[in-house]
Amino acid sequence: MNFKDNDIISGGKISILSPHSGGNIQDNPYLKKNIFSDNGFDLIIKSAQMGTPLVELGKGRPKVMVVAGVHGNELPPQIAALNLMEHIKNISLWGTVYLIPFAAPGATMENTRWFKGSDLNRASSSEGSITNMILKFIQMLNLDAVADFHSTKPKSNPGRESVFCTKKPCINSYNIAQYITKKTSSELICYDEAGSMYKGALEDECNLRNIPSVTCEVVSENGKINPGSIERSFLQMKMFLKHFKILR
């Protein structure tokens, strides 16, 4: 795995996971309108040019991960992840948060779902893919849970704000999803067994390894940012952390 220290931010550390995924995310005009350098995002932007940025905040257990940008043209969760970083970086956390705001900055830069012809949310079990590297890092850290954040365009699949989970082999996936949906009024979408519907999805591959995981969706047109979608994704992220009492 290619993983090296890059820089320190207030209350945490930025590292690079996968140096082959980088891109200038400010080349995406829709994203650029929502990123302000005075918010302290400069280090993240520079890190994204080198590869997949990873932010570590807090210490101790529980240890969880928030992932966004697995699909580069699903923009609201990527902005929400930056806002989450800004929200929690100077407050006391009761555990550790690993935050990946741009899983594939190169795809985000080009405002496309695909990275080098691959759907990364079907490639988590494929050796060498970005999401496979993320999965290996999750296992190496022995994380307590993972949440992967997406957006879905209206009248698509699912086309509505929701939280995906499974019950087998990891019932805690369902428990996490129940909590988030109750707190946000998102719809609960549950499958009985991980991997039965979506092969290679990061959520499913984590659950198959008994690492509790959910996928959270908000509604927004692909490649754009619908009003309120950033705020809804941010709320889902906060509720994920509150489920583990990392945020009080």
Side-chain angles (χ1 to χ4, degrees):
M1 296 178 66
N2 292 290
F3 181 78
K4 60 182 181 179
D5 288 340
N6 177 40
D7 219 325
I8 303 295
I9 62 172
S10 176
K13 180 172 66 175
I14 301 177
S15 303
I16 301 297
L17 177 64
S18 177
H20 307 296
S21 58
N24 185 359
I25 60 173
Q26 287 190 308
D27 283 353
N28 185 320
Y30 296 99
L31 202 68
K32 186 177 181 180
K33 290 178 183 177
N34 291 274
I35 297 178
F36 307 100
S37 59
D38 57 352
N39 280 359
F41 296 153
D42 283 347
L43 288 176
I44 294 290
I45 294 168
K46 290 176 182 177
S47 297
Q49 293 176 7
M50 295 184 283
T52 301
L54 175 79
V55 181
E56 178 184 346
L57 295 161
K59 62 181 179 179
R61 302 202 90 97
K63 300 194 298 183
V64 303
M65 179 177 283
V66 169
V67 182
V70 167
H71 292 142
N73 66 342
E74 296 178 4
L75 303 180
Q78 300 179 68
I79 298 298
L82 291 180
N83 293 343
L84 181 70
M85 182 195 76
E86 190 67 17
H87 178 69
I88 68 176
K89 72 179 185 180
N90 290 317
I91 64 176
S92 295
L93 298 175
W94 298 81
T96 307
V97 178
Y98 294 90
L99 180 62
I100 297 177
F102 310 104
T108 300
M109 174 181 68
E110 296 177 359
N111 211 5
T112 178
R113 177 183 178 90
W114 311 95
F115 180 75
K116 297 183 179 179
S118 174
D119 181 342
L120 293 178
N121 210 33
R122 301 293 180 269
S124 298
S125 57
S126 299
E127 187 71 27
S129 74
I130 295 168
T131 41
N132 184 253
M133 290 183 179
I134 293 172
L135 178 63
K136 288 182 177 180
F137 187 64
I138 290 166
Q139 292 177 280
M140 183 181 74
L141 286 174
N142 189 26
L143 293 185
D144 295 297
V146 177
D148 186 17
F149 293 84
H150 291 252
S151 61
T152 177
K153 69 178 182 179
K155 299 180 181 179
S156 66
N157 182 21
R160 56 197 186 275
E161 185 177 306
S162 54
V163 181
F164 285 82
C165 65
T166 55
K167 291 185 177 180
K168 297 177 182 177
C170 191
I171 191 62
N172 280 335
S173 168
Y174 174 69
N175 295 335
I176 296 165
Q178 269 200 319
Y179 181 89
I180 297 172
T181 54
K182 286 179 179 178
K183 296 294 184 179
T184 64
S185 300
S186 305
E187 180 179 341
L188 178 69
I189 300 177
C190 185
Y191 295 100
D192 187 56
E193 192 165 345
S196 61
M197 182 62 66
Y198 298 103
K199 301 291 186 182
L202 183 60
E203 172 211 328
D204 288 78
E205 294 302 323
C206 286
N207 284 324
L208 286 169
R209 291 160 176 79
N210 283 299
I211 304 165
S213 183
V214 296
T215 300
C216 299
E217 300 260 10
V218 295
V219 179
S220 184
E221 293 290 344
N222 289 343
K224 297 182 180 180
I225 302 172
N226 284 21
S229 57
I230 296 172
E231 293 79 4
R232 294 298 297 175
S233 189
F234 179 71
L235 179 61
Q236 290 177 332
M237 291 176 184
K238 283 180 65 178
M239 292 306 106
F240 172 63
L241 298 185
K242 285 196 173 188
H243 173 75
F244 290 93
K245 296 182 172 57
I246 293 173
L247 282 181
R248 301 295 175 96

